[in-house]
Each structure stands twice: as structure tokens, then as C-alpha cells.
Amino acid sequence: IGNSKNPSSILLAEELSPNNKNLLPFEAGPSGYFLSEVIKDTGLPRLTDFFITNWKKTKNPTEDTRLFVVEMEELKPKSVLLLGRTAEAAIPTLEILDIPYKTIMHHAACSNYQ
């Protein structure tokens, strides 16, 4: 979800929660609510110049990598922010595609420090 027309950044989360009714990243659960609040607190309109997606799209890691490559080639982001350890599986692919990235602690873990 978000700006799919050459976004400046991509937020790469891990996977959808089983509670997501509309299949949107951060729609449900404590980490979703936490990240939504963080975005709101920035004062920026939601999803202005970034795109949110998940690393795990299927139950097949090879297919997840293939779908991620397709997504990156379509979006052409300037950078990717990896949210958590599961999202770090994208690092080898990002290095091959020569897309800068940064890893941060998963927002669910951050919410423990509020």
C-alpha cells in the first residue's frame, strides 16, 4: 500500500497478521497500531512518499524472493527500510539490485519501550 509511483522509500515489514481483514500491512495488531501512530506523529500525511509491503507473501521463500524482485523492479525505490529480522531476508536481493537499505528494530519490539 502507499505511493506506488517511484516512492522515495519502502517500508518492508515481515508478514500480514491473521487478523488483517483487508490484507493491508499494519492494519491490525499491536505492532500495526504502533506504527500507524508513529507515522501519524510525524505530521506527514499517511503514505505520502513511501510504500509499505511485506517480505513474506507466500509460504515459499523462493517465491517470496521472486515476488520481491518484481516489486522492486516496478517500484524503483531510492531506499528500503527493513523492519525486523524476518525482513532482513531481503538484504541479499537488495544488494544484488543495488538498492540502499537500513535495518531497524521491529516496531513491535519498539512498542515495548513506550
Side-chain angles (χ1 to χ4, degrees):
I1 60 172
N3 177 359
S4 61
K5 305 252 190 294
N6 197 15
S8 291
S9 297
I10 288 186
L11 301 179
L12 183 63
E14 297 182 338
E15 62 186 318
L16 290 174
S17 160
N19 298 328
N20 287 47
K21 297 193 178 9
N22 298 309
L23 302 178
L24 300 172
F26 315 122
E27 175 187 20
S31 62
Y33 294 129
F34 175 76
L35 187 62
S36 294
E37 288 300 308
V38 168
I39 292 168
K40 186 170 71 176
D41 289 347
T42 66
L44 297 171
R46 186 164 165 76
L47 307 178
T48 303
D49 195 28
F50 56 93
F51 186 83
I52 298 173
T53 189
N54 288 305
W55 170 253
K56 292 177 87 176
K57 300 172 187 333
T58 70
K59 302 231 185 263
N60 179 332
T62 302
E63 185 66 4
D64 289 338
T65 300
R66 187 190 73 73
L67 292 170
F68 182 69
V69 168
V70 168
E71 201 168 41
M72 294 302 101
E73 289 174 344
E74 286 178 11
L75 294 169
K76 297 175 181 49
K78 294 173 185 68
S79 64
V80 174
L81 182 62
L82 305 168
L83 304 175
R85 286 190 198 124
T86 300
E88 289 177 342
I91 290 173
T93 304
L94 291 168
E95 289 176 344
I96 289 169
L97 295 173
D98 198 27
I99 299 173
Y101 63 88
K102 177 77 176 167
T103 301
I104 65 168
M105 183 184 300
H106 191 279
H107 45 284
C110 292
S111 67
N112 294 332
Y113 297 102
Q114 291 189 49

PDB file of all heavy atoms in Angstrom, residues 15-21 28-29:
ATOM      1  N   GLU A  15       5.292  -9.885   7.707  1.00  0.00           N
ATOM      2  CA  GLU A  15       4.180 -10.623   7.107  1.00  0.00           C
ATOM      3  C   GLU A  15       2.879 -10.097   7.679  1.00  0.00           C
ATOM      4  O   GLU A  15       2.842  -9.437   8.697  1.00  0.00           O
ATOM      5  CB  GLU A  15       4.311 -12.122   7.353  1.00  0.00           C
ATOM      6  CG  GLU A  15       4.270 -12.515   8.824  1.00  0.00           C
ATOM      7  CD  GLU A  15       4.544 -13.987   9.028  1.00  0.00           C
ATOM      8  OE1 GLU A  15       4.029 -14.810   8.262  1.00  0.00           O
ATOM      9  OE2 GLU A  15       5.280 -14.313   9.967  1.00  0.00           O
ATOM     10  N   LEU A  16       1.782 -10.416   6.990  1.00  0.00           N
ATOM     11  CA  LEU A  16       0.463  -9.984   7.450  1.00  0.00           C
ATOM     12  C   LEU A  16       0.030 -10.775   8.672  1.00  0.00           C
ATOM     13  O   LEU A  16       0.281 -11.967   8.772  1.00  0.00           O
ATOM     14  CB  LEU A  16      -0.575 -10.174   6.347  1.00  0.00           C
ATOM     15  CG  LEU A  16      -0.462  -9.227   5.158  1.00  0.00           C
ATOM     16  CD1 LEU A  16      -1.456  -9.626   4.082  1.00  0.00           C
ATOM     17  CD2 LEU A  16      -0.691  -7.797   5.568  1.00  0.00           C
ATOM     18  N   SER A  17      -0.648 -10.090   9.564  1.00  0.00           N
ATOM     19  CA  SER A  17      -1.246 -10.743  10.728  1.00  0.00           C
ATOM     20  C   SER A  17      -2.487 -11.502  10.282  1.00  0.00           C
ATOM     21  O   SER A  17      -3.181 -11.071   9.364  1.00  0.00           O
ATOM     22  CB  SER A  17      -1.639  -9.664  11.749  1.00  0.00           C
ATOM     23  OG  SER A  17      -2.599 -10.157  12.641  1.00  0.00           O
ATOM     24  N   PRO A  18      -2.816 -12.616  10.927  1.00  0.00           N
ATOM     25  CA  PRO A  18      -4.049 -13.311  10.573  1.00  0.00           C
ATOM     26  C   PRO A  18      -5.293 -12.467  10.869  1.00  0.00           C
ATOM     27  O   PRO A  18      -6.372 -12.755  10.368  1.00  0.00           O
ATOM     28  CB  PRO A  18      -4.033 -14.573  11.435  1.00  0.00           C
ATOM     29  CG  PRO A  18      -2.902 -14.429  12.385  1.00  0.00           C
ATOM     30  CD  PRO A  18      -2.040 -13.296  11.938  1.00  0.00           C
ATOM     31  N   ASN A  19      -5.133 -11.388  11.644  1.00  0.00           N
ATOM     32  CA  ASN A  19      -6.257 -10.508  11.963  1.00  0.00           C
ATOM     33  C   ASN A  19      -6.532  -9.465  10.885  1.00  0.00           C
ATOM     34  O   ASN A  19      -7.499  -8.724  10.983  1.00  0.00           O
ATOM     35  CB  ASN A  19      -6.003  -9.779  13.289  1.00  0.00           C
ATOM     36  CG  ASN A  19      -5.880 -10.756  14.434  1.00  0.00           C
ATOM     37  OD1 ASN A  19      -6.503 -11.795  14.441  1.00  0.00           O
ATOM     38  ND2 ASN A  19      -5.052 -10.425  15.402  1.00  0.00           N
ATOM     39  N   ASN A  20      -5.673  -9.377   9.883  1.00  0.00           N
ATOM     40  CA  ASN A  20      -5.868  -8.389   8.828  1.00  0.00           C
ATOM     41  C   ASN A  20      -7.036  -8.794   7.947  1.00  0.00           C
ATOM     42  O   ASN A  20      -6.954  -9.756   7.197  1.00  0.00           O
ATOM     43  CB  ASN A  20      -4.606  -8.243   7.981  1.00  0.00           C
ATOM     44  CG  ASN A  20      -3.515  -7.512   8.691  1.00  0.00           C
ATOM     45  OD1 ASN A  20      -3.225  -7.817   9.839  1.00  0.00           O
ATOM     46  ND2 ASN A  20      -2.903  -6.555   8.041  1.00  0.00           N
ATOM     47  N   LYS A  21      -8.104  -8.040   8.013  1.00  0.00           N
ATOM     48  CA  LYS A  21      -9.303  -8.359   7.236  1.00  0.00           C
ATOM     49  C   LYS A  21      -9.202  -7.878   5.792  1.00  0.00           C
ATOM     50  O   LYS A  21      -9.747  -8.469   4.892  1.00  0.00           O
ATOM     51  CB  LYS A  21     -10.527  -7.765   7.908  1.00  0.00           C
ATOM     52  CG  LYS A  21     -10.777  -8.360   9.285  1.00  0.00           C
ATOM     53  CD  LYS A  21     -12.146  -8.007   9.801  1.00  0.00           C
ATOM     54  CE  LYS A  21     -12.498  -8.582  11.133  1.00  0.00           C
ATOM     55  NZ  LYS A  21     -11.544  -9.251  11.931  1.00  0.00           N
ATOM     56  N   ALA A  28      -3.828  -4.341  11.534  1.00  0.00           N
ATOM     57  CA  ALA A  28      -4.310  -4.894  12.796  1.00  0.00           C
ATOM     58  C   ALA A  28      -3.137  -5.264  13.697  1.00  0.00           C
ATOM     59  O   ALA A  28      -1.995  -5.346  13.261  1.00  0.00           O
ATOM     60  CB  ALA A  28      -5.157  -6.138  12.514  1.00  0.00           C
ATOM     61  N   GLY A  29      -3.460  -5.482  14.939  1.00  0.00           N
ATOM     62  CA  GLY A  29      -2.474  -5.953  15.905  1.00  0.00           C
ATOM     63  C   GLY A  29      -1.704  -4.826  16.550  1.00  0.00           C
ATOM     64  O   GLY A  29      -1.686  -3.691  16.062  1.00  0.00           O
TER      65      GLY A  29
END
